[in-house]
Amino acid sequence: MNNVQQDIDERSNLTSLNKLELLLFRLGGDAEGNHSELYAINVFKIREIVAMPHVTPIADSHPHMLGVVNLREQIIPVINLPAVVGCIPTAGLKLLLITEFARTTQAFAVEAVEEIVRLEWTSVLPGDKTASGALVTSIAKVDGDVPNTRLAQVLDVESILRQLHSNDEPDVDVDSIGAPLNLPDGQVILAADDSVIARALIENALQAMGAKYVMTNSGKQAWDKLEAIDIAAKKEGKTARDKVALVLSDLEMPEMDGFTLTRNIKQDARFSTIPVIIHSSLSGAANENHVNGVGADAYIAKFVPIELAALLRKTLAKNTTPQKRG
């Protein structure tokens, strides 16, 4: 029992250690059955793993949708993950990964599950540094920084969902998102997200709001940018707070996650007054408690542009410094 409790405690404390847990699985190989590579999803997105039940096909659905399953009186769509990625299962689709993220529940059919590994985020390389495809956010060094470490491709499951439901994507424009943000002259919103599709959605929303912004691909890139902004601001006799109106950060990011980025910002006197909004596909009370614990000013689940715009306005209004009068 003590070992079980210790494992639970360690898992709940991962966010304070810049660590993550990945579920490793296989999808099959190429047309000749070769190269059965490792893939991964963050454990926080997985609700459960079940043996493949009966799947009911749905008429006129996307080719990569197998259908739906009835799991404990919940109808859940089933996605043929090997087909999405371009793999051919050699042993068939044996398991379903039931996932919850981005306000949705869905199942991913896979060939086999390998194990759960616990890694430092520094052992996860951003996709833009590895020439990864659009469906891969990063490459994880499964065994850490050792020679010949196994490599796992961390799938961008948000992008996969968006591809399957592209026709349902609402337009983001000024009419739907409301009045523009009125940032003080010279201020920008600094945003960080490792997902290609998420960055595009965020940029569309910020552009519709008329907000100037700087987009980065990871927490580390955002942190490096903050430090560069601080150096440039000092040369003008100003502070980083004069240049950055707000930081909008994802949670799951290679090299440095959103928890660590937020903690670094709030514990550094140069940046501590800059408001931070966490914008993540991870939801649930546990994650929100962790977000509060690192000092973030607000949390919002992805991705509803109108709600994001409203929270940006509210947070900026709350953190606006009154102008001094002569």
Side-chain angles (χ1 to χ4, degrees), residues 80-157:
N80 186 339
L81 196 53
V84 173
V85 175
C87 295
I88 300 174
T90 56
L93 297 173
K94 301 293 187 180
L95 299 170
L96 288 184
L97 310 181
I98 311 300
T99 63
E100 292 182 340
F101 60 90
R103 309 183 189 219
T104 63
T105 300
Q106 53 281 310
F108 291 102
V110 302
E111 182 179 62
V113 167
E114 294 280 308
E115 60 180 311
I116 292 175
V117 294
R118 187 171 295 177
L119 300 174
E120 302 271 355
W121 271 110
T122 52
S123 293
V124 183
L125 304 177
D128 62 341
K129 292 184 179 180
T130 61
S132 298
L135 296 183
V136 176
T137 61
S138 50
I139 302 294
K141 295 184 283 186
V142 174
D143 307 305
D145 293 320
V146 298
N148 301 316
T149 181
R150 293 173 294 163
L151 300 177
Q153 301 174 60
V154 182
L155 292 177
D156 188 346
V157 287

Side-chain angles (χ1 to χ4, degrees), residues 188-192 222 226 244-249 261-262 265 271 274-278 312:
V188 299
I189 290 175
L190 177 61
L226 263 180
V244 180
L246 179 144
V247 173
L248 181 66
S249 177
L261 173 63
T262 302
I265 290 171
F271 312 125
I274 299 175
V276 178
I277 293 178
I278 296 297
L312 285 170

Side-chain angles (χ1 to χ4, degrees), residues 289-311:
N289 288 338
H290 288 310
V291 166
N292 293 333
V294 297
D297 295 80
Y299 168 92
I300 186 169
K302 293 178 179 175
F303 183 78
V304 180
I306 294 175
E307 292 183 9
L308 176 60
L311 184 58

Side-chain angles (χ1 to χ4, degrees), residues 178-199:
L181 288 177
N182 293 315
L183 298 180
D185 290 341
Q187 281 197 340
V188 299
I189 290 175
L190 177 61
D193 202 297
D194 67 329
S195 167
V196 173
I197 189 68
R199 288 198 299 272

Side-chain angles (χ1 to χ4, degrees), residues 181-183 241 245-246 275 310-322:
L181 288 177
N182 293 315
L183 298 180
R241 182 68 177 89
L246 179 144
L311 184 58
L312 285 170
R313 292 189 188 93
K314 178 181 177 181
T315 305
L316 288 170
K318 183 179 177 181
N319 289 273
T320 298
T321 302

Side-chain angles (χ1 to χ4, degrees), residues 3-270:
N3 289 338
V4 172
Q5 185 60 50
Q6 180 180 359
D7 186 63
I8 293 172
D9 291 342
E10 288 179 358
R11 182 164 290 171
S12 64
N13 289 329
L14 289 178
T15 56
S16 65
L17 302 172
N18 199 38
K19 292 184 178 182
L20 78 159
E21 284 187 329
L22 292 174
L23 176 73
L24 305 182
F25 53 90
R26 296 190 188 273
L27 301 176
D30 55 22
E32 285 72 41
N34 300 320
H35 309 295
S36 182
E37 306 295 345
L38 276 176
Y39 295 89
I41 293 178
N42 193 320
V43 168
F44 280 157
K45 289 180 175 175
I46 297 174
R47 190 178 81 185
E48 59 184 313
I49 302 171
V50 299
M52 179 65 73
H54 173 73
V55 178
T56 301
I58 299 298
D60 197 31
S61 61
H62 192 284
H64 294 156
M65 296 294 296
L66 291 176
V68 296
V69 295
N70 183 4
L71 189 62
R72 287 184 290 279
E73 302 307 314
Q74 183 181 12
I75 304 300
I76 300 174
V78 179
I79 299 168
N80 186 339
L81 196 53
V84 173
V85 175
C87 295
I88 300 174
T90 56
L93 297 173
K94 301 293 187 180
L95 299 170
L96 288 184
L97 310 181
I98 311 300
T99 63
E100 292 182 340
F101 60 90
R103 309 183 189 219
T104 63
T105 300
Q106 53 281 310
F108 291 102
V110 302
E111 182 179 62
V113 167
E114 294 280 308
E115 60 180 311
I116 292 175
V117 294
R118 187 171 295 177
L119 300 174
E120 302 271 355
W121 271 110
T122 52
S123 293
V124 183
L125 304 177
D128 62 341
K129 292 184 179 180
T130 61
S132 298
L135 296 183
V136 176
T137 61
S138 50
I139 302 294
K141 295 184 283 186
V142 174
D143 307 305
D145 293 320
V146 298
N148 301 316
T149 181
R150 293 173 294 163
L151 300 177
Q153 301 174 60
V154 182
L155 292 177
D156 188 346
V157 287
E158 296 170 40
S159 290
I160 291 172
L161 283 191
R162 294 285 171 177
Q163 285 189 10
L164 296 180
H165 302 292
S166 58
N167 292 335
D168 302 328
E169 197 67 54
D171 292 332
V172 179
D173 54 33
V174 175
D175 292 334
S176 66
I177 213 163
L181 288 177
N182 293 315
L183 298 180
D185 290 341
Q187 281 197 340
V188 299
I189 290 175
L190 177 61
D193 202 297
D194 67 329
S195 167
V196 173
I197 189 68
R199 288 198 299 272
L201 291 169
I202 292 168
E203 289 187 2
N204 288 343
L206 293 177
Q207 288 168 8
M209 284 183 272
K212 294 182 179 180
Y213 62 89
V214 174
M215 181 62 70
T216 60
N217 297 359
S218 71
K220 185 176 185 303
Q221 285 188 16
W223 178 252
D224 291 344
K225 186 64 179 178
L226 263 180
E227 293 202 305
I229 288 173
D230 178 64
I231 292 172
K234 285 178 178 177
K235 293 179 180 179
E236 300 177 26
K238 297 182 178 181
T239 67
R241 182 68 177 89
D242 297 321
K243 298 292 186 178
V244 180
L246 179 144
V247 173
L248 181 66
S249 177
D250 187 20
L251 286 181
E252 303 172 275
M253 293 183 290
E255 298 182 299
M256 180 189 293
D257 65 13
F259 293 111
T260 304
L261 173 63
T262 302
R263 187 183 303 109
N264 287 351
I265 290 171
K266 293 302 183 179
Q267 292 180 355
D268 193 309
R270 298 172 296 170

